[in-house]
Amino acid sequence: MSHLLEEPTAVVVVGDGAGSGAASALTGGAATAVVHRSSVDAAVATLEERDDVGCVVLTGEPGERAADGCRRIRAADRDLPVVVLTEVEPDAAAAVADVEHCRLLPRSVSPTRLREVVDAALADYEERRDRAANSSILETLLSESNISIYAKDDQARVVRMADVEYGPDPDDVRGKTDLEVWSDETPEMARQTYDDDLDVVESGEPVYEQRERFDQGGYTHWSETTKVPWRDEDGEVQGLVGVSRDVTEDMERAEELRERRQLIEQFASYVSHDLKTPLQVASGSLRLARETGDGDAFRKVGDALERMEETIDDLSELARRRAETGTTEEIREALPDRDPDETIETPRLGELVEDVWDVTGADEATLEVSVPPAATITADPETIRPLLENLLKNAVAHAGPDVTVRVGLTDRSGFYVADDGPGIPEDERDRVVEEGYTTAEDGTGMGLTIVSEVAAENGWTLALADSRAGGARVEINDCKIVADRLDAARPDRSVDLIDDQTVGDAGVAGAAERVETVDRWIVTGGGENIWGQTNEFHFLYGRATPPVRLQARIRDLDAVDEYSKTGLMIRGGLDEDAPFGFVGQTAEHGTELAWRESADGRTRTEQFEEPESAYEWYRIECVDGAVTCSVSPDGDEWTALDQRSLPFDDEVYAGLAVCSHDGQTHSVAEFEGVSAYELEEE
């Protein structure tokens, strides 16, 4: 479209020879060049070569031939004006009048009049050409740019709107205000943008780069909007033109940077707080050792120094993981890689408590641990140790040096730390987790703040209550704790996996096939997800009476999505809303646990993000309604990840599940070493 860079001030004169009187009549007018051509064909060729032609003067042709010449020129440029000089007859006038932008003048027209008509035609053509170009540019922006551009009238109703991804259909919103379009989904945002539209129209004042927030579908979105008055030729405001840009990523990045600055400040506070006790122990024991030469005092110095080193490592790892969570890809790439051989940590809870108590507890204080010796918690030691240390330290600090501290399990997949001190007044329980809150003269107010933050980062819940002794009881619930084990159970009766069906509206039907020659199962399944209220997958199963155990190696998963999943499941029924437990693997996010703990509840999931090669074997077992999920690298050494009590009846459904995470496409899983059997407890 280079012709837009040239002013259309040249005129092509067709016919009458090189010395045409029509050509000479144009001298001194708006035309800057006059080009003579002997035929319409030659004129059309000139139009293809030159970008500065703004009018054609066609001379000497009779009526119908003149009209035909106009049509041929208009075919080359539909907006180019043509002035016809011929004998004015009714038929000629009618024929030329049928062709748009063609004007008929008598051959005897005066040079002055001819010049005026051509000058007007040149001006009209330039205006028409620019208007058409502007319209085309606008149409391209609206339809192709994926930029949210819109125009609204003086009542804030949409006149034109770009067709952008995830936006409404422009035809559906035409003639509607934001209140009418968005009130059901984002009513507060709809009201605010509508009021802003009216302000721009009524005041005539533009709004530049205004940040707007709206929440939709559980997510927060931000846009940056500029709105300017839309004025007519007389300068009167007839509406507005706006451009909105999604700046959600910019806002999230700013929030990440703010959180990282806060993290640095908190890390310094945490280190100072958590090193205080072992430093005091080390200082006091060193002084005693120097005075008495007591070897036990030297041992306490060594233990305290070792605990200080562990504290620094724990808090550094905690800070690193907090920095990883929710950051942009650029920040994440700047962080050091984790050990590629990293596996899921499941330390024994009781041993962790006693290890921390060795340094935290006062000499006069008593610790009672009511946790089964084999009970484990699925959490990295560097995550759980700072939490335990601050819970135990708080108990000693607030209940006195001769306090009795009790640690046990809750009935909500968690544990508690309770003391026999004065307790926490009920009206202060919401405040004690706030940073800086303390009742001690030399306290920092960091203890329960650290506990609260560690719990929140791991998806655990913190609850405060009175202990049986009248003191404080702090509960950490919704953890992944395994208390009871079936290590001594023996297989009793095998469970045949003989039925399969698609659960929920999976979009595409699944299938299951056993390959006898290699003792493998091939299970195919679709479905959007197994999460929240969505339970769509294909299930190969057998009926069993607990206690029951199912284990298998997931040999391969042909995935169609990063969250495609397959694994082992025990359900209370085949209905979509039946309670169940699940353990298996995802395509790109490692091992996944899934629980639906009641028919009217929601499915909760967690992915562990461990390296792909960490585990291939999976196990799920049910005893007295308690379902335990485990993983293994080789099928011999098993790591139990979680245990939940589910409302099962006497019969359960145990089997293999596949969900593609795509309602229109299958994923295919290959299992081997599949064994399912009812257990005989010893």
Side-chain angles (χ1 to χ4, degrees):
M1 298 186 67
S2 59
H3 66 278
L4 292 176
L5 301 178
E6 298 284 350
E7 292 187 9
T9 56
V11 177
V12 175
V13 177
V14 182
D16 282 351
S20 168
S24 62
L26 301 179
T27 304
T32 58
V34 177
V35 181
H36 302 273
R37 293 293 180 263
S38 60
S39 67
V40 172
D41 288 342
V44 169
T46 300
L47 297 181
E48 294 174 352
E49 297 170 357
R50 298 184 61 147
D51 295 325
D52 61 345
V53 177
C55 182
V56 173
V57 177
L58 188 59
T59 67
E61 296 287 353
E64 187 56 44
R65 289 177 58 186
D68 181 65
C70 289
R71 283 190 286 269
R72 291 170 61 192
I73 291 169
R74 290 268 295 121
D77 186 337
R78 63 190 304 268
D79 291 318
L80 189 68
V82 180
V83 177
V84 178
L85 297 179
T86 188
E87 298 299 331
V88 179
E89 300 173 351
D91 290 344
V96 172
D98 284 341
V99 185
E100 190 178 12
H101 303 317
C102 288
R103 175 82 178 270
L104 179 64
L105 293 176
R107 182 185 290 274
S108 60
V109 67
S110 69
T112 301
R113 179 58 181 158
L114 176 60
R115 185 167 59 249
E116 290 175 351
V117 170
V118 170
D119 287 354
L122 290 173
D124 288 345
Y125 174 64
E126 183 172 21
E127 182 180 348
R128 233 177 8 256
R129 186 192 66 171
D130 290 346
R131 188 184 304 119
N134 291 339
S135 177
S136 176
I137 291 169
L138 177 60
E139 286 295 334
T140 302
L141 283 172
L142 291 175
S143 61
E144 304 294 338
S145 68
N146 203 31
I147 299 173
S148 180
I149 305 172
Y150 46 87
K152 299 178 181 180
D153 66 9
D154 58 359
Q155 297 180 53
R157 297 175 299 193
V158 174
V159 176
R160 301 294 298 276
M161 174 175 282
D163 188 5
V164 298
E165 187 177 13
Y166 305 120
D169 187 319
D171 293 334
D172 292 342
V173 300
R174 187 179 177 88
K176 297 179 181 179
T177 67
D178 280 9
L179 278 179
E180 296 170 293
V181 176
W182 301 107
S183 284
D184 290 341
E185 298 182 34
T186 55
E188 293 183 5
M189 183 273 288
R191 167 56 63 180
Q192 181 61 51
T193 57
Y194 174 69
D195 290 344
D196 290 344
D197 290 345
L198 293 181
D199 285 344
V200 171
V201 172
E202 293 170 1
S203 69
E205 296 294 328
V207 172
Y208 294 108
E209 298 180 349
Q210 176 173 284
R211 294 288 172 94
E212 298 170 343
R213 168 180 173 161
F214 56 100
D215 300 302
Q216 185 178 17
Y219 295 95
T220 296
H221 302 271
W222 289 88
S223 67
E224 185 177 82
T225 298
T226 293
K227 300 174 184 178
V228 297
W230 172 21
R231 301 180 186 274
D232 60 19
E233 295 178 354
D234 298 326
E236 296 296 324
V237 176
Q238 58 181 350
L240 65 88
V241 177
V243 179
S244 295
R245 182 173 69 93
D246 188 334
V247 293
T248 302
E249 289 189 4
D250 295 343
M251 297 298 287
E252 289 176 346
R253 178 64 181 270
E255 177 63 16
E256 288 167 8
L257 294 176
R258 186 194 66 79
E259 289 179 354
R260 287 171 66 81
R261 287 194 297 270
Q262 184 182 45
L263 177 63
I264 294 171
E265 296 170 358
Q266 288 181 336
F267 179 71
S269 299
Y270 291 177
V271 169
S272 174
H273 175 266
D274 283 9
L275 290 181
K276 184 176 181 180
T277 297
L279 184 60
Q280 290 173 337
V281 171
S283 298
S285 298
L286 181 60
R287 183 168 55 253
L288 180 62
R290 285 172 174 168
E291 293 174 353
T292 65
D294 186 355
D296 189 53
F298 281 112
R299 182 189 61 79
K300 287 187 176 181
V301 173
D303 290 346
L305 292 175
E306 182 177 342
R307 180 60 193 132
M308 290 168 67
E309 184 177 359
E310 289 177 349
T311 296
I312 293 172
D313 291 343
D314 291 347
L315 291 176
S316 296
E317 177 63 15
L318 185 61
R320 189 186 79 89
R321 293 189 181 184
R322 284 194 59 193
E324 268 189 308
T325 304
T327 59
T328 59
E329 193 63 30
E330 292 85 355
I331 296 176
R332 189 176 288 113
E333 289 176 354
L335 295 168
D337 293 333
R338 292 189 176 192
D339 184 350
D341 298 325
E342 182 180 8
T343 57
I344 302 171
E345 300 261 19
T346 57
R348 293 179 183 263
L349 180 59
E351 292 178 0
L352 272 178
V353 171
E354 291 173 352
D355 177 55
V356 173
W357 180 261
D358 284 343
V359 175
T360 304
D363 291 339
E364 302 90 343
T366 302
L367 175 68
E368 296 180 0
V369 180
S370 301
V371 176
T376 58
I377 180 168
T378 304
D380 297 326
E382 57 265 25
T383 296
I384 191 69
R385 267 196 300 249
L387 183 145
L388 288 172
E389 180 169 336
N390 281 281
L391 286 176
L392 297 174
K393 187 186 299 182
N394 273 5
V396 173
H398 294 286
D402 59 348
V403 64
T404 296
V405 180
R406 296 176 175 85
V407 180
L409 301 182
T410 71
D411 57 2
R412 292 177 51 196
S413 297
F415 63 93
Y416 67 84
V417 175
D419 61 56
D420 56 2
I424 303 172
E426 190 168 351
D427 60 354
E428 294 186 19
R429 289 176 184 170
D430 290 339
R431 297 179 54 213
V432 296
V433 297
E434 297 175 1
E435 186 173 343
Y437 177 87
T438 180
T439 59
E441 292 184 2
D442 59 348
T444 65
M446 297 297 297
L448 282 182
T449 300
I450 297 174
V451 171
S452 176
E453 291 186 353
V454 171
E457 287 158 9
N458 286 275
W460 306 334
T461 55
L462 183 149
L464 304 177
D466 294 327
S467 70
R468 291 184 179 179
R473 173 180 166 120
V474 181
E475 295 184 0
I476 307 297
N477 292 312
D478 301 311
C479 308
K480 292 179 287 296
I481 290 180
V482 179
D484 301 316
R485 297 173 182 274
L486 284 177
D487 295 336
R490 296 185 294 112
D492 183 19
R493 184 184 71 85
S494 64
V495 178
D496 294 327
L497 307 184
I498 57 176
D499 297 308
D500 70 290
Q501 73 174 64
T502 297
V503 176
D505 184 13
V508 290
E513 176 187 4
R514 185 172 183 182
V515 184
E516 298 283 355
T517 55
V518 290
D519 191 24
R520 289 179 188 158
W521 277 103
I522 308 297
V523 184
T524 301
E528 288 288 346
N529 208 344
I530 306 175
W531 177 76
Q533 298 293 356
T534 304
N535 286 276
E536 300 173 0
F537 57 95
H538 196 74
F539 190 39
L540 168 69
Y541 64 91
R543 294 175 172 85
T545 301
V548 62
R549 173 182 291 164
L550 170 68
Q551 68 183 47
R553 178 191 178 211
I554 299 177
R555 191 173 185 274
D556 185 49
L557 173 61
D558 183 7
V560 298
D561 184 271
E562 62 180 305
Y563 285 99
S564 296
K565 65 194 70 177
T566 187
L568 285 57
M569 180 181 289
I570 294 181
R571 303 179 62 84
L574 297 176
D575 295 336
E576 188 176 359
D577 60 356
F580 71 86
F582 168 92
V583 62
Q585 65 176 225
T586 60
E588 298 181 19
H589 297 276
T591 295
E592 176 171 290
L593 291 175
W595 301 98
R596 187 182 181 95
E597 298 183 60
S598 65
D600 59 352
R602 293 172 56 86
T603 297
R604 293 185 295 169
T605 63
E606 179 172 352
Q607 297 85 34
F608 287 85
E609 308 286 351
E610 83 279 8
E612 183 178 353
S613 60
Y615 304 108
E616 294 183 351
W617 288 81
Y618 297 84
R619 171 188 286 178
I620 189 168
E621 50 197 10
C622 175
V623 181
D624 297 328
V627 175
T628 306
C629 296
S630 305
V631 294
S632 172
D634 53 15
D636 293 324
E637 298 293 330
W638 290 91
T639 299
L641 300 181
D642 201 2
Q643 189 174 75
R644 302 289 172 102
S645 293
L646 301 180
F648 289 158
D649 295 327
D650 293 336
E651 186 179 60
V652 296
Y653 299 76
L656 312 176
V658 176
C659 173
S660 67
H661 213 270
D662 184 328
Q664 304 303 316
T665 311
H666 289 119
S667 282
V668 181
E670 187 174 338
F671 297 86
E672 68 178 19
V674 178
S675 63
Y677 39 84
E678 294 177 356
L679 299 171
E680 178 182 354
E681 296 184 69
E682 294 184 352

